[in-house]
Amino acid sequence: MISNKNVARIAGLLYLIVILTGLFAEVFVRQAFKDSGDALATANNIQSAEMLFRLGVVADVVNFVCGLPCVLIIYFLFKRVNKFLLQLALIFVIIQTAIIAVNLLNQTSTLLILGNNTYLKSFEPSQLASLSQLSLNIQGVGYAIGLVFFGFYCLLVGYVIFKSKMMPKLFGILYIISGIGYLLNSFTMLLSKGFANPIFSYVAIPIFIGELSFCLWLLIKGINDSEVFNPND
């Protein structure tokens, strides 16, 4: 049988994969390929490194596959602290995953628009570039909407961690800060003209610190509970 402490380490490993794949897909693919204000340049960037762009899509899919069992393990580990809040948190994160997963179609549609299919020959290159940029912009807005739900997930789980005695309260506080950061980031973008995101660089670091610290504590230390893992409790 496996103890709760070791199951927590599995959750930490899954969470680390989620963080790394999320960073890769967002920072090293989507943000790296965008050439602000120049749709044609963005299209050329994608066409010149199409495999890297595809790897970004795959990274997002891996993120979803690892993320769901991770949050489910966290639920079972901490549910004795406040089962209702964690059930609510699970609902939020499932909605978030569904939104972002479906929204990923907007990113993959860029590859279809910029493909060499014969039915696209009636469009000028500049028109195709504009359409692909529109798809990427819609993806960005959808991503922000999805992260609103993840922000609430972080708030709820952070509160439960803070109230528990299974790990230091500091990690609950840091995770709550991550949730606030996600909410500020998404709502600022949704309320800004042109869906600009002027505060991303300011909230990204506290978000990263909150999630990574929780992840590494689970991975390295586990939780203060040596009981056998039993999801039927």
Side-chain angles (χ1 to χ4, degrees):
M1 300 295 289
I2 186 168
S3 68
N4 282 350
K5 183 182 288 289
N6 288 328
V7 171
R9 292 190 174 112
I10 294 173
L13 177 60
L14 291 171
Y15 207 152
L16 183 60
I17 295 172
V18 167
I19 291 172
L20 293 177
T21 52
L23 276 175
F24 175 76
E26 180 62 23
V27 177
F28 297 101
V29 177
R30 282 188 286 270
Q31 297 300 325
F33 276 84
K34 285 183 181 179
D35 193 317
S36 182
D38 193 336
L40 193 57
T42 300
N44 289 334
N45 292 339
I46 294 171
Q47 290 174 319
S48 63
E50 183 178 319
M51 183 52 66
L52 179 59
F53 192 82
R54 290 178 181 272
L55 285 174
V57 175
V58 172
D60 272 323
V61 174
V62 173
N63 183 294
F64 308 145
V65 171
C66 292
L68 289 176
C70 175
V71 298
L72 196 58
I73 292 173
I74 291 171
Y75 166 76
F76 282 116
L77 290 174
F78 291 91
K79 67 178 181 178
R80 73 187 69 176
V81 181
N82 193 317
K83 191 173 183 178
F84 172 75
L85 287 183
L86 287 182
Q87 287 176 336
L88 185 59
L90 267 181
I91 293 172
F92 278 127
V93 83
I94 290 171
I95 293 173
Q96 172 251 333
T97 302
I99 290 173
I100 294 181
V102 173
N103 184 54
L104 198 59
L105 291 172
N106 287 307
Q107 183 173 334
T108 55
S109 67
T110 299
L111 294 172
L112 296 174
I113 293 170
L114 298 177
N116 294 318
N117 295 296
T118 54
Y119 62 81
L120 296 171
K121 301 299 182 182
S122 59
F123 293 93
E124 295 293 329
S126 59
Q127 293 175 318
L128 292 174
S130 296
L131 288 173
S132 67
Q133 184 66 62
L134 177 61
S135 292
L136 290 177
N137 290 346
I138 294 173
Q139 190 278 336
V141 175
Y143 198 72
I145 293 172
L147 290 181
V148 169
F149 293 91
F150 189 69
F152 283 113
Y153 169 83
C154 291
L155 291 180
L156 294 171
V157 172
Y159 174 78
V160 171
I161 293 170
F162 180 80
K163 298 297 289 185
S164 77
K165 297 180 181 180
M166 301 165 72
M167 60 192 305
K169 293 183 180 295
L170 173 63
F171 294 101
I173 295 171
L174 292 175
Y175 212 62
I176 289 172
I177 292 173
S178 289
I180 294 171
Y182 276 119
L183 293 175
L184 287 174
N185 185 67
S186 290
F187 282 123
T188 298
M189 179 180 178
L190 294 173
L191 293 171
S192 297
K193 185 176 181 180
F195 298 101
N197 196 356
I199 69 167
F200 174 74
S201 58
Y202 299 102
V203 300
I205 293 177
I207 287 174
F208 180 74
I209 291 174
E211 288 201 80
L212 186 64
S213 60
F214 177 47
C215 160
L216 292 180
W217 184 271
L218 288 176
L219 180 61
I220 298 170
K221 298 285 290 184
I223 58 173
N224 296 328
D225 188 346
S226 59
E227 293 183 15
V228 173
F229 181 74
N230 186 2
N232 294 318
D233 285 342

